[in-house]
Amino acid sequence: MNIKGKGKLLKIFIGESDQWHGEPLYHAIIKKIKENGLAGATVIRGIEGYGANSRLHSARLLRLSEDLPIVIEVVDVEDRINSILSVLDGMIKEGLMIVIQDVEIYKYAGNKKRN
């Protein structure tokens, strides 16, 4: 698969301690994204942040370090990004955020063989 041109960047903001059926939510989301054939995804662990409840999560505060911010980023064409949104709606609960931005994909040369 080769992608070039207009695309979408999907960003999912969750907490490190969020769970989905007994596993970390970020891992469950990555598995669903892969199952649905999107180009790829990256999980980024933040060092500090706060969300809807305004509670600070920071690597500097030992007692809160188990729930650091997580951002999952996915870039693909609009149709494939839109196709995963209903799946994510069922997984991502109150206080968490999903954003979508327009992007220009310069180059994506995916491997024809997928695992």
Side-chain angles (χ1 to χ4, degrees):
M1 166 181 16
N2 290 318
I3 303 172
K4 190 170 184 175
K6 294 189 184 302
K8 295 288 183 179
L9 167 62
L10 170 68
K11 287 188 178 187
I12 305 161
F13 297 84
I14 61 175
E16 186 176 26
S17 67
D18 295 330
Q19 297 281 306
W20 174 255
H21 297 276
E23 69 179 328
L25 178 58
Y26 63 86
H27 184 67
I29 289 171
I30 291 293
K31 288 189 333 188
K32 288 292 184 187
I33 288 169
K34 186 174 188 220
E35 286 171 14
N36 282 272
L38 278 79
T42 300
V43 176
I44 302 163
R45 184 177 191 223
I47 60 170
E48 191 166 69
Y50 72 92
N53 66 8
S54 296
R55 195 174 103 219
L56 185 64
H57 302 272
S58 175
R60 294 184 300 140
L61 303 172
L62 187 58
R63 64 185 170 83
L64 297 177
S65 63
E66 71 278 355
D67 192 24
L68 292 172
I70 296 286
V71 179
I72 302 168
E73 294 189 342
V74 184
V75 177
D76 209 322
V77 294
E78 184 173 12
D79 290 345
R80 283 195 284 260
I81 293 291
N82 289 339
S83 73
I84 197 69
L85 293 176
S86 62
V87 174
L88 296 174
D89 277 342
M91 298 175 78
I92 298 175
K93 302 300 178 198
E94 178 181 322
L96 306 174
M97 183 184 330
I98 300 172
V99 298
I100 300 172
Q101 297 173 290
D102 292 330
V103 294
E104 187 70 25
I105 301 169
Y106 174 72
K107 181 177 183 177
Y108 173 82
N111 187 349
K112 291 181 183 178
K113 182 179 173 185
R114 289 189 175 186
N115 295 333

